[in-house]
Amino acid sequence: IQINFLSFVCYRALIFPLLIREGKPTPFFTFVLALLFCVFNGYLQGRSLTTYATYPAGWLSDSRFITGFLGWLIGMAINIHSDHILRNLRKPGETGYKIPRGGMFEYVSGANFFGEILEWFGFALACCTIESLAFALCTLFILGSRARQHHK
């Protein structure tokens, strides 16, 4: 379960920023808030999984874990593919708004947000901890509002 969490954090914190082309600069205050949230959430998730969460023998073959893991995996794949589509919308030097096409963007306007929300609800189901559910709900409210804003 921790590998799921760490793989996403590595993608979002290390790989994704290196793949982004030039864009709008992120305000320093926004960066600091995001960093603090990620550090606190990472600590909270790691601490709850290593110290407080207990799982019965055979948990890895339990339908909740398998369904949650598949939700996490599918969500992460949607998220990464959607990020790829968004990064390649404009050719170098192009400006202006473009509507993304392909992948889950054919079904939902905020496919990247949808993928990440699915990812964290899958993680919450696989972990079955209050901390993972709290993170999934925070993700839903934060990214859901961003998705709505982007859709408009």
Side-chain angles (χ1 to χ4, degrees):
I1 295 172
Q2 285 183 316
I3 291 172
N4 294 356
F5 186 76
L6 289 175
S7 62
F8 174 79
V9 171
C10 286
Y11 168 73
R12 183 58 72 203
L14 302 174
I15 298 168
F16 179 75
L18 295 174
L19 296 174
I20 295 175
R21 293 184 190 163
E22 291 180 33
K24 297 177 188 172
T26 301
F28 184 71
F29 184 68
T30 302
F31 165 76
V32 170
L33 286 178
L35 179 66
L36 290 174
F37 176 81
C38 289
V39 167
F40 176 73
N41 182 57
Y43 171 77
L44 184 68
Q45 298 302 324
R47 179 85 173 175
S48 75
L49 291 172
T50 59
T51 306
Y52 303 110
T54 57
Y55 299 100
W59 178 250
L60 297 180
S61 61
D62 186 279
S63 61
R64 291 168 292 182
F65 177 81
I66 293 169
T67 303
F69 178 77
L70 289 174
W72 171 83
L73 190 63
I74 292 167
M76 188 167 190
I78 291 169
N79 192 3
I80 290 171
H81 184 251
S82 300
D83 285 345
H84 172 76
I85 290 171
L86 290 172
R87 276 193 314 274
N88 293 295
L89 273 178
R90 292 184 216 103
K91 294 181 175 107
E94 262 187 336
T95 60
Y97 182 78
K98 290 197 174 188
I99 296 174
R101 299 279 184 221
M104 285 300 294
F105 284 108
E106 297 301 319
Y107 305 100
V108 61
S109 60
N112 53 328
F113 301 126
F114 170 75
E116 193 162 339
I117 291 167
L118 177 60
E119 192 174 343
W120 294 118
F121 273 94
F123 179 77
L125 183 58
C127 294
C128 285
T129 64
I130 193 72
E131 293 85 0
S132 60
L133 177 60
F135 181 50
L137 289 171
C138 284
T139 301
L140 173 64
F141 295 132
I142 292 168
L143 294 186
S145 68
R146 288 184 65 198
R148 185 174 176 205
Q149 191 177 38
H150 283 236
H151 181 77
K152 287 180 179 181

